[in-house]
Amino acid sequence: MRSIRPLLTAAGLVAALTLTATACGPEEDQASDKPSASASAGKDGSGGLPDGLADTLKKHGVDLDKWKNGEWKNWDKDTWLREAKDFVNPVIEGLWKPDRMKSAKDPAKTMSAGDFSGDQGVTDPEPKPVTAQPEKTPYHNYAAPVGKVFFDSPEGSMVCSGTVVKDPKNPGRSNLVWTAGHCVHAGSKGGWYRNIVFVPAYNDKGKSAAALENAQSYEIAPYGAYWADWAATSGEWMRDGGPTGGEGAPYDYAVLHVKPEKGTKSLEETVGNALPVNFDAPEVAQISAMGAWGYPAAPPYNGLIMHKCVDRPGRLSISPSTPTMYRIGCTMTGGSSGGGWFSEASNGKLALVSNTSIGPVTAGWLAGPHLGEGAEQIFTMMSDKFGGR
């Protein structure tokens, strides 16, 4: 019989995600954070471009006006930027309208089970499915750090999930988002995805598709869209990641630094909460429960409603040469990819310890990477790079 301890600790996991007292709700926030005249100009004076982006675009032969007018839809592999240093994501104001967000698809191929015939010595029995539960509404009161990541790929508009995480170099004003590597980069066969944005508290009141048929922007994206001005993922994902995760799956994580499409307030100040990242989580035998949050989009879900699963984690090995992953029972499907996994740290506080990476087509479980030294190096680099911003 499976332990019931995860059920006993679920309330604690949920409580730690609730909104902090310093934040305001979406309606109040919109009224108080209108974009200022200075907010629309980039630091380099290039009409909204952040420092260095104009030079980067020029280096790669990218004309900004042509890019915004549709050149970004050119996915020619000879010009598709893929190296870590080549990330570009110019803001295209108004691109992510409510209908475009609602029509975005889940990156289904990354949710295939793949081949798990590697080191079975550190693979535990397959967990029983845990039925994903809808989060309480409004989401900004119960899961403030959670949102959706939208991006464009050669296959069209796609969607993942993400989490606002604390920035050690920017306490209380973080603009960092944790997600999966496959939500920002195509892996071994491609490059960086485009038009990457984070939308916190997407569909905050959990309305149905029918209720959102003629929805206004604030109903879909109550805090607006936050564009990634830089992204970082692991070299292993870029080299080995594939349609089913492949040997890149244990390294399938990414960090975004974002900025609001409109306004100047930081992401953490806007949503009212952010979670620390724990890069030293104990062995699974010492973890009584992990909770995964996200927006599943593949059937039977439709991507509109935030869900969560809480379970005792087990181990899953992709290959004898790669780190063992966490695995929990969960019925969430594609679209939940990139969503944060949380557990209590040694200080008793909730921390992000993983993110959804892969799962079987039958949608009975999810697996996520163990965040170790490599993940910490990427996170620290992002914090140092944007310290104070």
Side-chain angles (χ1 to χ4, degrees):
M1 179 180 293
R2 304 189 81 202
S3 169
I4 63 171
R5 291 177 64 189
L7 299 178
L8 299 177
T9 58
L13 288 174
V14 173
L17 276 178
T18 55
L19 187 72
T20 60
T22 58
C24 51
E27 292 82 3
E28 180 185 348
D29 185 71
Q30 283 189 336
S32 64
D33 195 32
K34 299 296 184 183
S36 64
S38 61
S40 62
K43 291 187 178 182
D44 64 356
S46 300
L49 297 182
D51 293 339
L53 180 55
D55 290 339
T56 301
L57 292 171
K58 184 177 180 180
K59 171 186 172 184
H60 295 293
V62 177
D63 181 284
L64 181 61
D65 290 331
K66 290 182 179 179
W67 181 273
K68 290 185 175 183
N69 287 326
E71 180 62 25
W72 63 264
K73 299 176 184 178
N74 178 6
W75 295 95
D76 187 307
K77 288 194 174 182
D78 291 336
T79 58
W80 190 0
L81 304 179
R82 72 173 319 273
E83 300 302 325
K85 66 181 186 304
D86 292 336
F87 178 80
V88 293
N89 195 50
V91 174
I92 303 177
E93 190 169 340
L95 176 68
W96 288 104
K97 292 180 169 62
D99 285 346
R100 196 166 192 266
M101 290 183 183
K102 287 188 289 183
S103 66
K105 306 299 182 184
D106 65 282
K109 290 183 179 179
T110 58
M111 295 297 295
S112 298
D115 179 9
F116 303 125
S117 60
D119 186 359
Q120 295 298 312
V122 291
T123 293
D124 294 320
E126 182 174 322
K128 293 181 180 179
V130 172
T131 301
Q133 299 297 316
E135 182 54 274
K136 295 179 181 178
T137 58
Y139 298 146
H140 75 268
N141 275 349
Y142 295 97
V146 181
K148 297 187 80 167
V149 175
F150 293 94
F151 58 96
D152 281 303
S153 78
E155 289 75 37
S157 300
M158 297 290 186
V159 62
C160 281
S161 300
T163 307
V164 185
V165 293
K166 290 187 177 296
D167 182 353
K169 293 295 180 68
N170 207 11
R173 300 193 306 274
S174 176
N175 284 304
L176 299 181
V177 174
W178 195 279
T179 188
H182 75 255
C183 300
V184 301
H185 194 283
S188 62
K189 301 299 184 182
W192 293 107
Y193 293 131
R194 298 168 184 169
N195 304 322
I196 302 171
V197 300
F198 177 70
V199 177
Y202 176 85
N203 187 22
D204 189 43
K205 296 183 179 179
K207 293 183 177 181
S208 67
L212 292 173
E213 189 168 342
N214 297 306
Q216 300 297 310
S217 294
Y218 69 87
E219 296 177 85
I220 293 289
Y223 296 115
Y226 280 71
W227 283 74
D229 55 6
W230 199 258
T233 186
S234 68
E236 291 89 349
W237 173 257
M238 295 170 70
R239 183 183 68 241
D240 300 323
T244 60
E247 291 198 4
Y251 308 95
D252 184 15
Y253 45 76
V255 185
L256 306 175
H257 182 272
V258 301
K259 62 180 181 180
E261 183 171 307
K262 297 180 180 179
T264 58
K265 186 181 289 186
S266 74
L267 180 57
E268 183 177 359
E269 290 173 302
T270 298
V271 304
N273 200 358
L275 291 175
V277 184
N278 183 5
F279 298 102
D280 193 27
E283 296 295 321
V284 294
Q286 302 176 45
I287 302 175
S288 61
M290 277 189 184
W293 268 251
Y295 285 83
Y301 307 98
N302 62 8
L304 295 177
I305 307 300
M306 187 191 300
H307 285 75
K308 61 193 176 189
C309 291
V310 178
D311 193 20
R312 177 190 287 276
R315 298 168 295 179
L316 175 68
S317 177
I318 302 295
S319 164
S321 62
T322 60
T324 301
M325 302 176 72
Y326 296 119
R327 179 163 64 169
I328 61 171
C330 186
T331 61
M332 285 198 289
T333 59
S336 63
S337 294
W341 291 27
F342 316 117
S343 72
E344 288 186 359
S346 57
N347 61 5
K349 296 182 179 181
L350 202 67
L352 185 145
V353 294
S354 186
N355 57 263
T356 297
S357 173
I358 55 174
V361 175
T362 52
W365 53 263
L366 298 174
H370 180 279
L371 305 181
E373 184 178 355
E376 186 173 19
Q377 288 175 351
I378 289 174
F379 179 76
T380 301
M381 179 275 292
M382 290 290 281
S383 180
D384 290 346
K385 181 181 180 71
F386 291 97
R389 285 195 278 164

